[in-house]
Structure formats: structure tokens, C-alpha cells
């Protein structure tokens, strides 16, 4: 499948910790980069406006497990890690902070995109995205941590994380229409925060996805560019 995949490293915009990177799959080369949410929206809108498919992959927890409420002691499992997260639980330390920032930034990105491309249809399910007449925007999560966390160098760690997030999905597109998730909320129910953000933003997204797992892709970091190196399509300021 041909698609523009935009990976976003969620982080403080004021402190310069937000970054995005785009790959026009199936080509492996980097198609663009940027350091602000508006340019991330515009690179997605460009592909959608041309009738193509696009994917937004956020490097922040985008689903949370909710234990069944049919038992009085179900609360005991609240806040536990998702299956596959290991010691990088969504509810602990940096994960909780990224979740809070991610919800706000996902909401803005999707609302801005919905205003730029009215009527855009979105999904968090790869099989629906891959269908011939399915939604043209896929929403997913990347996990860039632990063994997949880049080691800081003279390069930009936020740009590297964003590129790793984009490549995590782009590299698995040959597996469509089904791509296995690396993290899931099971055995608990899933509260799909990406679906909630898309619906809040006014996007056309199936309401049943509020209770389905988000596609989570464990990423491997992309190499850093040498300090000061500029790549074609780089939206960063000199």
C-alpha cells in the first residue's frame, strides 16, 4: 500500500520537545520533518487532499486498560500495565506524563486536521484502513522505549524518536490488512483514547472503536543524522 506515514514524538512544544517525521511508503527514505504541530497536520492534509491514504502514529500511550466493572473488587487491577509493556507501564512515571500530553496534542492535531480536510474518515483498525473504500486515515501508537530508545548523541533525540515511530508502521504495511499489535489491554477492556480524540475532533470514526485496542508498534530507533546535517524535506529551522 502507498501511504504517507507521519510519526510524532509527543512532548513539550514550548521546550522544543515536539517533533514529527514523514515517510511515503513503500519508499524507505525520509519524506519530511518538522518541529511544530501545524506542519505535521499540513503534511497529512496534503496527502489526504490528493485522495491518498495517510497514517498518524503518536509516541505516547493512546489506550488504557479498564477492568470489568461487574465485580466489586475489579478496582484492584486499575492502573496496571498493558500486556506487552513490560516495565514501561502507561501509568507510571514518564508514561503517565506522556499520556496526559498526548491526549491534548492528539486532540489538537485531529481537530486541526478535521478542519483542514472536512469529512475525513478515520480508524484505529488497520483492516478497515486497508479496505478498498475504507477510511483513508489510520491512527496508531508507537512505543519507542527500553531497547528501542535512542541513545542521546549530538543529533536530535526527538526527531529520531519521531522517525522511529513512522518507520515502525511503514515497515509493517506489507502485512496489511492485518498487523499484529505489540501491546494490548487484554485481559481487561480497552478505552481507546485515539478514537475518543478523533470523535471529539469531529472526525467520522466508527463509535465501536472506543472499546477496541489501539494498534501499538514497538519501534526500533532510526539513526541520527550528524550534528547540523539537513535532509531533503527537513522542516526544521537552521
Amino acid at each position: 500500500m502507498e501511504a504517507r506515514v507521519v510519526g510524532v514524538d509527543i512532548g513539550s512544544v514550548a521546550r522544543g520537545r515536539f517533533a514529527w517525521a514523514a515517510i511515503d511508503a513503500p519508499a524507505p527514505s525520509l519524506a519530511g520533518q518538522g518541529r511544530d504541530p501545524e506542519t505535521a497536520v499540513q503534511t497529512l492534509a496534503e496527502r489526504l487532499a490528493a485522495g491518498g491514504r495517510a497514517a498518524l502514529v503518536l509516541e505516547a500511550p493512546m489506550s488504557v486498560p479498564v477492568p470489568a466493572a461487574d465485580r466489586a473488587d475489579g478496582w484492584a487491577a486499575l492502573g496496571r500495565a498493558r500486556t506487552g509493556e513490560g516495565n514501561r507501564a502507561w501509568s507510571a512515571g514518564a508514561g503517565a506524563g506522556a499520556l496526559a500530553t498526548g491526549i491534548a496534542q492528539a486532540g489538537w492535531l485531529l481537530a486541526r486536521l478535521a478542519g483542514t480536510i472536512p469529512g475525513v474518515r478515520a480508524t484505529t483498525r488497520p483492516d478497515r484502513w486497508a479496505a478498498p473504500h475504507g477510511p483513508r486515515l489510520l491512527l496508531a501508537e508507537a512505543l519507542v522505549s527500553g531497547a528501542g530508545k535512542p541513545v542521546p548523541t549530538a543529533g536530535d533525540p526527538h526527531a529520531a524518536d519521531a522517525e522511529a515511530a513512522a518507520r515502525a508502521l511503514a515497515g509493517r504495511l506489507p502485512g496489511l490488512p492485518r498487523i499484529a499489535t505489540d501491546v494490548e489491554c487484554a485481559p481487561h477492556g480497552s478505552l481507546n483514547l485515539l478514537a475518543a480524540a478523533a470523535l471529539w475532533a469531529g472526525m467520522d470514526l466508527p463509535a465501536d472503536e472506543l472499546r477496541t485496542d489501539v494498534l501499538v508498534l514497538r519501534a526500533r530507533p532510526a539513526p541520527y543524522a550528524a550534528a547540523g546535517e539537513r535532509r531533503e524535506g527537513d522542516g526544521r529551522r537552521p
Side-chain angles (χ1 to χ4, degrees):
M1 173 187 284
E2 293 185 358
R4 174 162 292 175
V5 181
V6 175
V8 171
D9 181 39
I10 292 294
S12 171
V13 175
R15 296 182 180 181
R17 295 174 181 171
F18 179 98
W20 65 266
I23 293 175
D24 286 340
S29 57
L30 193 65
Q33 287 180 302
R35 298 308 305 265
D36 66 86
E38 174 64 14
T39 51
V41 169
Q42 293 307 318
T43 197
L44 287 165
E46 180 182 47
R47 179 53 59 96
L48 293 168
R53 295 184 185 274
L56 175 62
V57 187
L58 301 178
E59 203 264 299
M62 286 287 108
S63 66
V64 295
V66 181
D70 58 356
R71 292 179 49 178
D73 62 350
W75 56 266
L78 286 168
R80 291 184 180 176
R82 295 177 293 180
T83 301
E85 281 185 314
N87 62 354
R88 306 294 295 185
W90 65 272
S91 54
L99 182 145
T101 302
I103 291 174
Q105 293 183 2
W108 191 92
L109 289 164
L110 296 176
R112 179 67 175 151
L113 185 58
T116 304
I117 308 291
V120 63
R121 297 169 60 207
T123 182
T124 57
R125 286 181 44 175
D127 58 326
R128 290 178 172 174
W129 185 57
H133 301 290
R136 291 188 293 114
L137 176 64
L138 176 67
L139 308 175
E141 174 190 337
L143 183 60
V144 188
S145 61
K149 187 69 173 177
V151 177
T153 69
D156 185 337
H158 304 294
D161 278 13
E163 184 175 343
R167 292 189 182 283
L169 176 59
R172 297 206 205 177
L173 291 185
L176 287 170
R178 298 192 179 278
I179 301 175
T181 187
D182 293 323
V183 173
E184 60 185 354
C185 291
H188 305 300
S190 173
L191 174 51
N192 186 327
L193 301 175
L194 271 176
L199 290 170
W200 176 86
M203 287 187 167
D204 181 355
L205 180 141
D208 66 334
E209 294 188 21
L210 285 168
R211 295 176 178 270
T212 62
D213 266 310
V214 172
L215 173 66
V216 183
L217 305 148
R218 191 176 293 277
R220 293 184 177 181
Y224 288 104
E229 180 182 343
R230 302 261 307 186
R231 289 188 256 185
E232 183 178 356
D234 192 340
R236 289 176 289 170
R237 295 180 182 179

